[in-house]
Amino acid sequence: MTIVTGYPNLTDKGRIIAHRGASQAAPENTLAAFRMAQEQGINWIEFDVSLLGDGTPVIHHDDTLDRCTSASGPLSAIGAADLPGLSAGVTHGEAFAHEPLPTLDAALDLLGDAGMFANLEMKPHDQPRGRIASVVRDALQTRDWIKDRIIVSSFDHDELAELRESMPDLALAGLWTEPEDGWRKRLTELRAAALHLHYTHLSQSLLNEATSYGFDVRVFTVNDLRVMKPFRDLGLTSIVTDDPPLFLDDADWATWAKHGSH
Ligand code: G3P
Ligand code: MG
């Protein structure tokens, strides 16, 4: 296993990262989607962490239950006691009808056991300032493998700063749709290892600037083989996609895509 530069501990940067797990083949942000990614040959996933009303961290993107679960209404209206009997697999038919909405603990247990790597994205929604950073910190601090295999990102950079205060060795990434002026200063203040952005806002000059200052660059969410080709061999670190086999099974992409995978 190679120790990469730029991170104190993270032992693999990942090339292809399964967005919300392998979310084309399985329901997004479920344990089934995490396992599916590994079956597809991917050891890196991205997933979203949101809080229930009682503060329980769960793997969920939206601030409501409507799009991805068998229930409806705000996520903050339910607590851990409501999770049994709720399906998070409704987007992918009968085969996933009994797929639970995972807690962060369940997700970390699976990743730990499976030896997988992950980009954990904090989604504070309308929770009080600092609450998600503190809950995520509590979950991460109980596991000794975290600093080797997890990078945490968020569009909310204040939550990242909160997390940084208590976890000096954790790999962090600043997340933007389109990086604003001052992105480099923000990453430096956070002691972040990486810049994560929407692929439509990547340019050669931005990639050059980020990599020349030692930041890795990851783009989301790329489900088309052609769009990243100009950047592939020019220093792009990773691509976040709903459909990893698109890249892994393509003759032109396979060598790059599998580099460093375990
Ligand atoms: O972390 C990359 C990407 O997941 C950010 O956007 O909305 O899919 O969470 P979103
Ligand atoms: Mg996300």
Side-chain angles (χ1 to χ4, degrees), residues 19-20 29 46-49 60-61 119-123 153 155 175 220-221 240:
H19 182 236
R20 309 178 193 175
N29 282 321
E46 183 268 358
F47 63 92
D48 305 299
V49 175
H60 192 73
H61 180 277
N119 172 198
L120 184 166
E121 185 196 334
M122 297 189 291
K123 297 274 193 203
S153 66
F155 289 111
L175 176 60
F220 63 92
T221 302
V240 182

Side-chain angles (χ1 to χ4, degrees), residues 40-58:
Q40 291 174 343
I42 287 290
N43 222 14
W44 261 93
I45 58 163
E46 183 268 358
F47 63 92
D48 305 299
V49 175
S50 303
L51 300 183
L52 302 182
D54 64 1
T56 305
V58 293

Side-chain angles (χ1 to χ4, degrees), residues 190-201:
L190 289 167
R191 285 185 285 118
L195 169 66
H196 290 187
L197 72 153
H198 194 266
Y199 73 90
T200 53
H201 294 290

Side-chain angles (χ1 to χ4, degrees), residues 50-237:
S50 303
L51 300 183
L52 302 182
D54 64 1
T56 305
V58 293
I59 312 309
H60 192 73
H61 180 277
D62 300 354
D63 62 356
T64 72
L65 295 156
D66 303 25
R67 183 175 61 85
C68 295
T69 82
S70 53
S72 60
L75 192 67
S76 59
I78 68 165
D82 300 304
L83 290 177
L86 188 151
S87 169
V90 296
T91 55
H92 282 65
E94 266 306 299
F96 297 98
H98 301 292
E99 195 57 37
L101 177 64
T103 61
L104 176 58
D105 274 336
L108 292 174
D109 284 348
L110 184 154
L111 296 172
D113 291 348
M116 294 177 77
F117 293 73
N119 172 198
L120 184 166
E121 185 196 334
M122 297 189 291
K123 297 274 193 203
H125 302 299
D126 55 0
Q127 293 281 341
R129 163 68 49 226
R131 193 178 192 201
I132 194 164
S134 133
V135 168
V136 165
R137 178 203 61 213
D138 289 348
L140 297 184
Q141 279 184 333
T142 61
R143 293 164 168 92
D144 60 7
W145 54 270
I146 291 293
K147 65 183 188 317
D148 300 333
R149 291 198 256 139
I150 297 280
I151 183 165
V152 177
S153 66
S154 185
F155 289 111
D156 188 325
H157 304 146
D158 293 335
E159 295 292 340
L160 288 175
E162 289 272 343
L163 193 58
R164 171 55 80 219
E165 292 240 325
S166 52
M167 300 196 74
D169 295 335
L170 185 66
L172 297 181
L175 176 60
W176 283 267
T177 298
E178 178 177 11
E180 67 216 3
D181 288 348
W183 63 267
R184 211 155 37 79
K185 182 167 179 281
R186 196 64 168 133
L187 291 186
T188 304
E189 287 164 356
L190 289 167
R191 285 185 285 118
L195 169 66
H196 290 187
L197 72 153
H198 194 266
Y199 73 90
T200 53
H201 294 290
L202 185 64
S203 64
Q204 188 58 59
S205 61
L206 180 60
L207 183 57
N208 287 346
E209 182 179 352
T211 54
S212 73
Y213 280 89
F215 299 116
D216 290 330
V217 179
R218 299 191 173 85
V219 288
F220 63 92
T221 302
V222 184
N223 295 321
D224 181 327
L225 281 176
R226 292 162 302 178
V227 293
M228 278 301 111
K229 194 159 178 198
F231 301 105
R232 182 183 67 188
D233 303 316
L234 298 172
L236 182 67
T237 309

